[in-house]
Amino acid sequence: MQPEASTSQLPLVDEVIEEVTTDRSNEAPEHPLPQRQFYSVEYPGYVQDASVPNAIQNLGGQARIDLAFKRMAPKTESLIELSLHPDNPFAHPIPGDVVNTNNLVLKVTKRKRKKRPGQDADDGVIGEYKAEIVGVTTKTVRFRSMVDFQYLPDMDDPISQLRLAMDRMDVDTIMSYRIPEERSYEPVVPSTDQAPGALDMNIDPELGGTSSSTVASPSSSNLRLFPPPLFSRQTIPQGYNFKANSASIVTTTIDEETGEERKRLINKMRWKGYGPASIMFSDSQVPLNPPDAVEKGRDQANPKLLEKLHELFATRPIWTRMSLFNQFTALESREILNSKVMLPLVCYVFQDGPWRDTLVKFGYDPRSDSNARFYQRLYFRNANHPISRPSVTTRRQDRANVNLHIRNFEGGEDRKSSHIFDGKTVSKETAAFQLCDIVDPMLKEMIEDPDALRETCDERDGWYTSHSFERIKSILRHKFFSVLEGHPATDEECRNLLASSENSTKSSSLHRNQKLRAGKHNMAKGALRPEDAAAIRLRATLDRNVKSFTNSNSQR
């Protein structure tokens, strides 16, 4: 029976295929889309032909709009703001976003026809309509975020006039500005025609300092208050349905002096930061255990990674972040970085001194152990690679430098040795090395020299004498930047550099006897004065060029 049933259905399948084939023949023809591109702005207001120049001015001008629509514009330049009061610097603009779209631009043309004699207007639409696609819209500016609170001060105030003069670059007005005297408080007297206990200001009586029996007259101040750049950081509306935050709990505190009980709401889901314990070089004691707030978050740490961290600090008491992360895989390093609690559980940090920005094992004091000299950190900034201060938007988009290092070398073996300097290869543009991670033969001999030590640890040079430490820094600086330029320095060049820099080192030592200001310096950097460092690099470059020129002439 089954074969007969399947055979009876075959003609039906043929009929369906025939119908589909017939329907495809009636499809509309395909036309290629024009390659012309348009940009659009969803302007939150009424725009007519006569008001287009005003709308462009409110958006910052044509140049600002063109910059926002640039093909490869960075995030900071693709932002656009709408100012409904462009002439008022205190008005907060409306932020807009440039988003990618795939919209079509449709052009509709209407041709009117003249009415024939005796033809009624209700006979049909008079005219012909023609629609054609003239291009595509690849980018659109949208204003979907909430507008910030607005507060416009008195524009006749001297400070307001000063702010306007700064926009106009009116030097005379700026130079003639004087801080006006603050006028005293002026009490607001209630009017006589009001009922007893009523205020002549439409405010809550509790805010006016009232009680059940008496009504205090509110006071108004002539203090000039000017709005901040931003009132609220909240740009996305939230539907809270007029209910309190479900994560908020009521806490009660009692004032010890008055015995008054106060209640307040605390968000129990708020983010808690876990910062490592930190000390200054002048502090006598070192932390033995993590802070209490960090200890409470121990259950959030990965036990296996935490155990491995303890093992690493048992073999080496001081690490830099990069050298420590290089002992883990990329995924493990990312987990430690995102955990925020693992590192504060095993180490503390120095805010200054030779071990600044390093991770030190709890209970270990490098100031009392001369072997800790091998863990001192040297840092040199690349003058040819200036550091530009990122904007707030950029800082929100980018992660920390260590996270960037992990992302760049993720899955590669070069990451494992990026903290080691051998005098021949470098994997970064900034020199930040611990002395134990320097394997260059010449530098290693200088670092391990027992005659270069001092009896007590110094706040700037650590366990090395000033002269020995300056020699180590000069050679490391010269070798590092020579490798960056593509020609590793030879030991002979370094010896000549040491001989020529003796005078510079002596002169710079005169500036090292000044009293150090805690927290305002980085003794780990130890860089020379800019003119001395430039002179040393210029001398080394000239010597190298003379040597190469002599060799080329001898070969001829």
Side-chain angles (χ1 to χ4, degrees):
M1 294 295 293
Q2 280 187 344
E4 292 180 1
S6 60
T7 305
S8 61
Q9 293 177 1
L10 289 177
L12 296 177
V13 175
D14 293 339
E15 291 177 4
V16 172
I17 294 176
E18 238 179 76
E19 291 178 1
V20 171
T21 306
T22 305
D23 293 338
R24 286 183 178 178
S25 62
N26 297 329
E27 289 182 355
E30 296 182 358
H31 298 280
L33 290 176
Q35 298 299 321
R36 189 178 181 184
Q37 294 185 357
F38 291 86
Y39 300 140
S40 64
V41 177
E42 297 180 358
Y43 193 87
Y46 295 102
V47 180
Q48 299 178 352
D49 294 341
S51 60
V52 170
N54 294 334
I56 294 177
Q57 181 185 2
N58 293 345
L59 293 171
Q62 187 64 45
R64 186 68 187 86
I65 298 175
D66 296 340
L67 185 62
F69 284 124
K70 210 180 202 177
R71 180 181 295 274
M72 301 300 293
K75 182 67 177 177
T76 54
E77 296 182 359
S78 61
L79 299 177
I80 195 167
E81 294 178 338
L82 171 63
S83 178
L84 299 180
H85 300 274
D87 298 331
N88 193 327
F90 300 103
H92 293 175
I94 306 173
D97 298 320
V98 181
V99 297
N100 296 326
T101 55
N102 293 312
N103 299 332
L104 304 178
V105 180
L106 190 66
K107 178 182 178 182
V108 179
T109 306
K110 175 185 176 181
R111 291 185 177 180
K112 295 184 179 180
R113 292 181 180 177
K114 295 182 179 181
K115 294 182 181 180
R116 297 178 181 177
Q119 186 178 7
D120 191 1
D122 297 335
D123 293 345
V125 179
I126 305 299
E128 295 180 356
Y129 293 86
K130 179 183 178 182
E132 60 175 332
I133 298 175
V134 296
V136 294
T137 305
T138 57
K139 290 184 178 182
T140 302
V141 175
R142 292 175 178 171
F143 298 91
R144 302 292 176 85
S145 58
M146 292 193 301
V147 183
D148 192 23
F149 298 101
Q150 303 290 330
Y151 174 78
L152 301 181
D154 183 11
M155 298 308 297
D156 294 331
D157 189 275
I159 296 183
S160 300
Q161 296 298 323
L162 176 64
R163 179 65 178 84
L164 295 176
M166 295 175 67
D167 286 344
R168 301 191 305 266
M169 295 301 293
D170 188 352
V171 180
D172 296 335
T173 304
I174 297 175
M175 296 297 294
S176 62
Y177 173 77
R178 297 294 182 270
I179 300 177
E181 296 182 0
E182 177 63 28
R183 290 176 291 179
S184 59
Y185 286 89
E186 298 177 358
V188 179
V189 181
S191 57
T192 57
D193 56 347
Q194 288 182 334
L199 298 176
D200 62 341
M201 299 177 65
N202 187 18
I203 61 175
D204 191 337
E206 294 184 0
L207 300 179
T210 63
S211 61
S212 58
S213 58
T214 60
V215 178
S217 299
S219 299
S220 63
S221 171
N222 293 311
L223 180 65
R224 299 178 306 279
L225 298 177
F226 292 86
L230 195 66
F231 278 111
S232 174
R233 296 179 297 175
Q234 190 72 19
T235 60
I236 301 176
Q238 297 180 358
Y240 60 96
N241 296 327
F242 298 96
K243 296 181 180 179
N245 186 1
S246 59
S248 298
I249 58 176
V250 180
T251 60
T252 304
T253 58
I254 299 177
D255 192 343
E256 297 179 356
E257 297 181 357
T258 62
E260 182 182 0
E261 181 179 334
R262 298 180 179 179
K263 295 182 180 181
R264 58 178 298 187
L265 294 175
I266 295 181
N267 187 1
K268 61 182 180 180
M269 300 298 293
R270 63 181 178 179
W271 181 83
K272 297 180 181 180
Y274 300 100
S278 60
I279 63 172
M280 304 291 293
F281 185 87
S282 57
D283 294 340
S284 58
Q285 300 294 331
V286 298
L288 302 178
N289 299 301
D292 295 338
V294 176
E295 190 65 37
K296 293 179 181 179
R298 183 179 289 270
D299 55 345
Q300 303 177 14
N302 187 330
K304 295 183 179 179
L305 293 181
L306 192 60
E307 182 181 359
K308 188 174 180 179
L309 283 172
H310 282 292
E311 294 176 356
L312 290 173
F313 276 96
T315 58
R316 174 172 164 177
I318 302 179
W319 297 80
T320 60
R321 288 179 179 268
M322 185 170 294
S323 62
L324 182 63
F325 287 144
N326 285 349
Q327 312 305 315
F328 296 88
T329 63
L331 294 178
E332 292 174 343
S333 301
R334 189 177 298 277
E335 183 176 352
I336 294 174
L337 190 66
N338 295 335
S339 173
K340 308 295 184 184
V341 72
M342 289 193 190
L343 290 180
L345 282 172
V346 296
C347 61
Y348 70 96
V349 297
F350 273 97
Q351 297 183 18
D352 58 358
W355 297 278
R356 178 180 177 176
D357 297 335
T358 59
L359 307 175
V360 188
K361 177 184 176 182
F362 281 120
Y364 180 73
D365 190 355
R367 299 166 297 181
S368 59
D369 184 11
S370 60
N371 291 326
R373 67 184 185 275
F374 301 117
Y375 306 121
Q376 292 182 207
R377 177 177 177 268
L378 286 178
Y379 169 74
F380 303 114
R381 187 173 58 200
N382 187 359
N384 297 326
H385 188 267
I387 299 176
S388 58
R389 182 176 179 85
S391 63
V392 176
T393 307
T394 306
R395 290 199 301 269
R396 290 173 180 172
Q397 300 294 331
D398 298 337
R399 300 295 301 272
N401 292 335
V402 177
N403 195 12
L404 182 63
H405 160 76
I406 296 172
R407 184 167 61 250
N408 290 339
F409 293 96
E410 190 168 3
E413 294 296 330
D414 294 338
R415 183 176 66 88
K416 298 296 183 181
S417 59
S418 60
H419 63 286
I420 297 176
F421 180 73
D422 58 359
K424 298 178 181 179
T425 57
V426 293
S427 57
K428 52 186 178 180
E429 292 190 352
T430 54
F433 302 103
Q434 286 181 277
L435 297 183
C436 61
D437 294 329
I438 299 176
V439 297
D440 179 78
M442 183 178 182
L443 284 170
K444 191 173 182 181
E445 182 180 357
M446 299 172 64
I447 293 170
E448 297 177 352
D449 185 9
D451 299 331
L453 301 183
R454 63 169 72 227
E455 295 181 358
T456 57
C457 185
D458 183 66
E459 186 177 3
R460 185 188 297 270
D461 300 321
W463 287 100
Y464 290 91
T465 61
S466 300
H467 177 69
S468 301
F469 205 50
E470 283 294 338
R471 289 166 58 89
I472 295 174
K473 288 185 289 188
S474 298
I475 298 303
L476 176 60
R477 184 190 299 109
H478 178 65
K479 281 180 171 288
F480 179 82
F481 290 115
S482 297
V483 175
L484 276 184
E485 294 173 2
H487 43 77
T490 62
D491 293 347
E492 183 180 357
E493 291 181 10
C494 295
R495 294 189 187 96
N496 295 334
L497 175 64
L498 288 177
S500 61
S501 62
E502 287 295 334
N503 296 331
S504 299
T505 305
K506 292 179 181 179
S507 62
S508 62
S509 63
L510 298 177
H511 301 271
R512 297 162 59 87
N513 297 327
Q514 301 176 358
K515 180 63 178 177
L516 299 178
R517 298 171 58 189
K520 297 297 183 181
H521 59 279
N522 185 357
M523 276 75 71
K525 293 183 180 181
L528 298 175
R529 291 183 300 170
E531 57 270 20
D532 294 338
I536 292 174
R537 289 196 296 269
L538 179 61
R539 176 71 65 105
T541 303
L542 293 176
D543 294 342
R544 185 167 51 252
N545 293 339
V546 170
K547 184 178 178 180
S548 60
F549 180 75
T550 305
N551 294 336
S552 61
N553 289 338
S554 60
Q555 292 178 359
R556 292 180 182 177

